[in-house]
Amino acid sequence: MKEIEKIALAGLLHDIGKFYQRAENKDCEYNKDDFKYTHACLSYRWIIEHKEILQKAFNINIEELANLSAKHHNPDKSKDLEKILQIADWFSSAEREKILEDKFDYLHSVFERVSFKEEITKDIKYFSYYKLKPLSLDKESIFPKTVEVEISNNEITYYNQEKLKNFGSYKILYEEFEKELKKLQNFKDTQALNFIYYLLQKYLWCIPASTFDINKKSRHYPDISLFDHSKVLSAIATSLYDYWKTNLDNKKAIELNYNKLKEESFLLLIEGDITGIQKFIYNISKPQEIEKFSIAKALRGKSFLVSLISELLARYILKELNYPIVNALYIGGGKFQLLVANTNKNRKKIENIENQINNVFFEKFGGELGIVLAYKKFSGEYLEEKEKSFADVIEDVQILLDKKKKKKFKNEILKEIKDKSYLCPSCKTVSVEEENQLCSICENANKIGGKLPKVKYLVFDLDNKNIPKADFELGDFGKVYLVEEENINKFKDFDEILLLNDTNLEINNGFKFIGNIAPLITENNKKFFDENFTEELKEGEEFREKSVIDFTILSKLAEGDKKLAVFRADVDNLGLIFSDGLKKKKETDTHRYTISRIATLSRMLDLFFSGYINKLAEEVSQDFIKKIEGLKELNSLIYIVYSGGDDLFVIAPYNVILEFALRLRKDFYEFTAKNLTFGMSGGIFITHPALPIYLLAKFSEDLESNSKKSFYLRERNNR
């Protein structure tokens, strides 16, 4: 196991004693003075008690790991790695503020804290808490329970607090965690580190990193989960380690001093943003002369490709810079943010990678898709949000990205492009060798779209392993395999195997949420479609099991007029929410804009739009499927073209879309802690299924824009 991975593992486990303590009410049998606090001592005890299973997974000294992890409050002055963990803990804990004394020690929703006004505690009308449940896509688990409150002179009056009954038990949650931890023995080193990362995400996402303690006069507002705190600490610790080690190797000693590092730019925030996503996905048509090409399949495949690219590139960059998965602050919606050390080596590698990426993108996508990378160095002071803020770092990176977008492919467009006589008959953008020949992207999208219903796992190959027929390749940046359940054993040696839309951990050591539900032909409903819609098929075509239902057939399932509806929506003012919603508005405000809160906010929004959106589509669909005579089973009437980050594009029978839009807004309101700062605008376009997809996208986008304008006009007129 690499030393930087050991640092990451120690960071992830540094506060495991808090979970252990709350679940088992254990005391520490070791000398507490060695650790300063009981929870740190219990982190040591937990690691030692699990020495056997940890030793099988990691080729390291477990006693050394226990000290490195647990002594983050009281490091040995001669142990530099222990000091690195202590400093990382200080920086990652700088977000904690002393405000209200809440008598309920549950995790608050981070959405509570977002406001464009001054000190948020004056305006909070609701407190929203998460149950002690493993992470899943179940609404009862991931939606907060909200109670109305009134705040006066820092005193809280609670209403309808009976909702806070049956919130789960730390003991039961811990027992489930311990049971699943046994699966760690199936993995080694990097595989095992990834397993620990996802396991902690599954169980610690709902546990507050710090709680109110009136006896100790500690009033930490508990809206950061133990997982997010531990992940951010690990990212800072590995970055500081790389910074310290690189300078040490270059004969330049770096003093591991918190106050000095507040002034020293030892961190680097990297952001990647894929451009041209909308045009890439929707620029597609059905070539009449090409058999076995389906708009429904290709559309789904293109959308999936976009999500794969950001995941693949983020992992490739981390691998090239020698970092583990903990340093990915966020990946989703065609974007990613990474935290690494500010070293010459890392900066040069990033610049080289960006040039390589643009070359590959220009050649593979013909300039339709691109990516811009930007980075910003910053000191520890920006993590404390006093004079400076992490918001300033984000803002500077966004400015750099915007500038780069205007110069996209500036080098590539000067190169000589090989003249080809024909354009792909589907996207009409990429050149091909022969007439009526699909480009590799459209062909691949069609294949992926057809395969997706059978896919259960996602596997990234960054090492060019000798397994043929990858589903997607991006030059030297790696391959992606979409794996069906019966084939997963072929991939058991890969570092990261992700189960789609399910948090169960078995042969896989991770999970990934992707909004990708679509209506499918199955063994149980094939007869219904054969009997009712065979005349809609072309000669030689037939309904096949696990195939996506064509849009023409889907429209026939509408009530009354047989029309489809296209629905596009996104969160209002999301850029402003991220840039200003957590900022201090005046000096007396508390410190809210922190790296952990931004990471949590991003993760939770993606959980809704990439994960829960599938469950919502299924639930809404079932209410209408019951009314269709003869149809006994169908997974969904809603086709999610794209959903991730903060926006979505879905297609369904018009009557289903209307209900889906209403439910979406209602659920999003509840998910975001009934905070009216989080609005959502959308447009619904009702159409005949034969209209080209790019026109459906354009018309629904225009309606979405009009909905935003009408909202702002109404707000202005009401002032």
Side-chain angles (χ1 to χ4, degrees):
M1 187 181 198
K2 302 174 189 173
E3 192 161 58
I4 197 169
E5 291 181 319
K6 181 174 71 176
I7 299 286
L9 178 61
L12 288 173
L13 295 176
H14 83 288
D15 269 351
I16 194 68
K18 290 184 177 180
F19 189 17
Y20 193 26
Q21 183 180 23
R22 296 173 196 172
E24 300 289 338
N25 294 313
K26 296 280 188 182
D27 199 358
C28 195
E29 60 190 34
Y30 303 97
N31 184 358
K32 291 181 187 176
D33 293 337
D34 290 343
F35 305 94
K36 195 172 181 179
Y37 296 111
T38 300
H39 77 266
C41 185
L42 286 172
S43 290
Y44 178 88
R45 174 176 172 173
W46 186 90
I47 292 172
I48 295 301
E49 286 182 355
H50 294 81
K51 181 176 181 178
E52 184 178 346
I53 191 170
L54 290 169
Q55 193 67 75
K56 286 180 181 178
F58 302 106
N59 185 27
I60 55 174
N61 184 318
I62 301 302
E63 176 74 29
E64 182 185 347
L65 172 69
N67 281 305
L68 177 60
S69 186
K71 288 192 173 181
H72 56 279
H73 290 298
N74 191 28
D76 187 323
K77 292 181 180 179
S78 65
K79 302 288 180 64
D80 287 331
L81 297 189
E82 289 182 13
K83 285 192 283 185
I84 285 173
L85 264 293
Q86 180 189 47
I87 292 169
D89 186 52
W90 283 343
F91 280 127
S92 62
S93 300
E95 67 205 8
R96 294 177 186 168
E97 64 233 290
K98 301 183 186 302
I99 49 173
L100 299 170
E101 295 181 0
D102 186 353
K103 66 181 180 181
F104 298 105
D105 281 340
Y106 300 120
L107 179 67
H108 281 249
S109 169
V110 72
F111 296 111
E112 279 180 10
R113 315 300 309 283
V114 177
S115 174
F116 297 135
K117 301 177 183 178
E118 61 186 50
E119 178 54 61
I120 186 65
T121 56
K122 295 178 182 178
D123 298 307
I124 287 181
K125 294 181 180 179
Y126 301 101
F127 275 173
S128 295
Y129 305 89
Y130 293 107
K131 290 184 176 182
L132 293 170
K133 295 274 192 179
L135 183 65
S136 73
L137 296 182
D138 178 53
K139 185 176 181 178
E140 274 297 304
S141 298
I142 61 173
F143 275 53
K145 291 294 182 183
T146 302
V147 297
E148 192 172 354
V149 297
E150 185 177 314
I151 301 170
S152 177
N153 297 322
N154 280 348
E155 293 293 323
I156 309 168
T157 302
Y158 299 85
Y159 302 99
N160 60 350
Q161 59 181 294
E162 64 277 0
K163 288 185 177 181
L164 300 182
K165 294 178 181 177
N166 303 318
F167 251 55
S169 141
Y170 276 106
K171 185 173 180 60
I172 292 174
L173 186 67
Y174 180 78
E175 287 171 353
E176 291 182 56
F177 167 75
E178 284 278 286
K179 184 178 179 181
E180 199 149 18
L181 178 68
K182 294 176 183 177
K183 299 172 185 175
L184 178 64
Q185 60 193 341
N186 298 328
F187 306 101
K188 292 286 186 183
D189 295 326
T190 301
Q191 284 184 328
L193 176 62
N194 289 335
F195 175 85
I196 290 287
Y197 172 82
Y198 286 104
L199 181 71
L200 294 181
Q201 182 179 352
K202 180 175 180 177
Y203 287 96
L204 304 189
W205 80 277
C206 58
I207 297 175
S210 184
T211 59
F212 300 105
D213 190 331
I214 296 173
N215 295 326
K216 294 181 179 178
K217 305 302 180 186
S218 167
R219 295 183 291 148
H220 297 154
Y221 196 84
D223 64 332
I224 300 297
S225 75
L226 193 53
F227 168 72
D228 287 303
H229 167 64
S230 300
K231 171 185 172 177
V232 168
L233 181 146
S234 289
I236 295 172
T238 51
S239 300
L240 178 54
Y241 165 79
D242 186 20
Y243 184 78
W244 168 78
K245 185 72 165 56
T246 300
N247 281 281
L248 200 64
D249 292 343
N250 293 332
K251 314 291 188 206
K252 182 182 176 183
I254 297 298
E255 186 176 352
L256 293 172
N257 179 286
Y258 179 72
N259 289 321
K260 288 189 176 181
L261 287 166
K262 284 198 292 186
E263 306 298 324
E264 194 163 345
S265 296
F266 71 96
L267 292 169
L268 204 65
L269 180 70
I270 307 168
E271 183 159 341
D273 191 352
I274 297 176
T275 62
I277 291 176
Q278 304 293 326
K279 183 180 178 184
F280 172 75
I281 292 177
Y282 309 130
N283 188 18
I284 189 170
S285 60
K286 165 71 172 170
Q288 297 299 322
E289 60 278 3
I290 297 180
E291 295 182 4
K292 297 183 180 179
F293 183 86
S294 162
I295 289 288
K297 289 180 184 178
L299 196 59
R300 198 170 189 224
K302 277 196 167 188
S303 174
F304 195 76
L305 277 175
V306 169
S307 63
L308 292 184
I309 291 169
S310 55
E311 296 280 348
L312 186 60
L313 290 179
R315 285 166 171 78
Y316 175 81
I317 293 171
L318 289 177
K319 175 180 176 290
E320 288 298 293
L321 301 184
N322 198 34
Y323 280 91
I325 192 67
V326 299
N327 293 81
L329 297 180
Y330 172 72
I331 310 174
K335 299 180 180 180
F336 56 83
Q337 282 185 345
L338 315 174
L339 186 71
V340 299
N342 174 32
T343 65
N344 288 330
K345 176 188 70 175
N346 286 345
R347 292 195 305 273
K348 286 179 181 177
K349 279 190 175 181
I350 293 164
E351 289 165 4
N352 289 335
I353 288 170
E354 183 175 23
N355 290 331
Q356 294 168 17
I357 289 173
N358 279 323
N359 286 333
V360 170
F361 267 57
F362 193 74
E363 182 178 339
K364 192 172 187 69
F365 303 110
E368 209 174 20
L369 269 187
I371 186 167
V372 287
L373 289 178
Y375 59 80
K376 171 72 177 178
K377 60 183 181 180
F378 63 102
S379 66
E381 187 178 10
Y382 287 86
L383 299 177
E384 293 191 320
E385 203 197 356
K386 292 180 180 177
E387 296 300 320
K388 298 175 181 177
S389 163
F390 187 61
D392 299 322
V393 181
I394 296 287
E395 189 174 317
D396 288 345
V397 170
Q398 293 303 317
I399 291 170
L400 290 170
L401 284 171
D402 288 341
K403 287 180 179 178
K404 284 196 167 187
K405 286 177 184 178
K406 296 172 183 176
K407 300 178 181 179
K408 188 176 68 170
F409 297 130
K410 66 173 184 174
N411 296 322
E412 285 73 15
I413 59 177
L414 298 176
K415 297 176 182 177
E416 181 180 354
I417 301 174
K418 182 180 178 181
D419 182 31
K420 297 181 181 180
S421 302
Y422 307 102
L423 289 177
C424 170
S426 179
C427 66
K428 297 179 174 61
T429 299
V430 180
S431 298
V432 292
E433 297 284 355
E434 300 176 10
E435 189 176 8
N436 296 330
Q437 175 190 10
L438 288 173
C439 68
S440 60
I441 299 300
C442 290
E443 184 175 14
N444 203 25
N446 191 51
K447 288 179 180 177
I448 288 175
K451 186 175 181 179
L452 273 175
K454 310 169 191 174
V455 170
K456 191 168 183 178
Y457 301 96
L458 193 61
V459 180
F460 298 98
D461 179 8
L462 305 177
D463 300 313
N464 198 25
K465 293 182 184 288
N466 190 27
I467 292 184
K469 295 183 181 178
D471 293 284
F472 177 67
E473 297 185 27
L474 196 61
D476 295 333
F477 305 112
K479 306 172 185 175
V480 183
Y481 295 89
L482 308 180
V483 186
E484 298 172 40
E485 187 167 13
E486 60 268 24
N487 297 324
I488 193 60
N489 282 321
K490 297 178 185 176
F491 299 86
K492 61 183 180 181
D493 294 329
F494 284 68
D495 287 341
E496 197 176 14
I497 303 171
L498 304 182
L499 180 63
L500 292 179
N501 294 332
D502 191 332
T503 61
N504 191 34
L505 295 164
E506 289 293 345
I507 192 168
N508 59 297
N509 58 350
F511 46 83
K512 177 66 183 173
F513 303 129
I514 294 180
N516 68 343
I517 196 168
L520 300 178
I521 301 292
T522 66
E523 180 182 358
N524 293 329
N525 63 33
K526 184 176 180 298
K527 182 179 179 181
F528 170 82
F529 288 97
D530 284 336
E531 291 177 349
N532 291 279
F533 302 115
T534 301
E535 69 276 7
E536 302 291 340
L537 300 177
K538 292 183 179 179
E539 187 177 348
E541 289 184 339
E542 61 178 327
F543 292 111
R544 299 177 183 275
E545 290 182 22
K546 294 189 177 181
S547 63
V548 180
I549 296 172
D550 184 83
F551 290 148
T552 302
I553 307 298
L554 189 60
S555 68
K556 302 294 183 183
L557 300 178
E559 291 181 5
D561 201 2
K562 305 304 180 184
K563 295 286 182 67
L564 289 179
V566 181
F567 177 45
R568 291 187 68 167
D570 68 5
V571 177
D572 295 327
N573 300 315
L574 190 67
L576 191 60
I577 285 171
F578 272 94
S579 65
D580 193 64
L582 289 169
K583 269 188 180 178
K584 291 172 66 172
K585 306 302 184 293
K586 61 180 184 178
E587 282 304 310
T588 55
D589 284 1
T590 52
H591 309 313
R592 293 180 287 131
Y593 200 110
T594 64
I595 191 168
S596 293
R597 281 197 183 88
I598 293 302
T600 304
L601 198 58
S602 299
R603 180 175 61 80
M604 292 304 291
L605 283 171
D606 196 60
L607 176 64
F608 184 89
F609 284 101
S610 294
Y612 174 70
I613 200 76
N614 295 298
K615 293 291 185 182
L616 177 60
E618 286 178 346
E619 287 178 12
V620 172
S621 295
Q622 293 311 313
D623 292 338
F624 290 91
I625 290 168
K626 294 173 186 175
K627 301 175 185 177
I628 301 175
E629 187 177 351
L631 181 56
K632 296 181 179 172
E633 179 188 288
L634 186 62
N635 65 320
S636 174
L637 285 167
I638 297 172
Y639 182 115
I640 296 179
V641 177
Y642 177 80
S643 184
D646 75 303
D647 65 342
L648 77 159
F649 181 157
V650 300
I651 298 175
Y654 77 92
N655 54 311
V656 180
I657 282 290
L658 296 174
E659 179 63 24
F660 176 78
L662 292 172
R663 281 283 305 277
L664 175 73
R665 185 63 190 94
K666 178 178 179 292
D667 282 3
F668 189 63
Y669 175 63
E670 293 179 12
F671 187 81
T672 53
K674 298 185 177 179
N675 185 343
L676 292 175
T677 304
F678 290 89
M680 182 181 287
S681 297
I684 297 174
F685 179 69
I686 299 176
T687 179
H688 187 278
L691 199 66
I693 193 68
Y694 74 91
L695 288 177
L696 297 180
K698 181 181 183 305
F699 294 153
S700 55
E701 183 179 31
D702 290 344
L703 291 170
E704 180 187 358
S705 298
N706 289 338
S707 72
K708 290 185 183 293
K709 290 175 185 176
S710 65
F711 171 79
Y712 295 131
L713 285 172
R714 186 169 65 251
E715 287 292 297
R716 187 175 66 184
N717 292 334
N718 287 337
R719 287 173 187 165

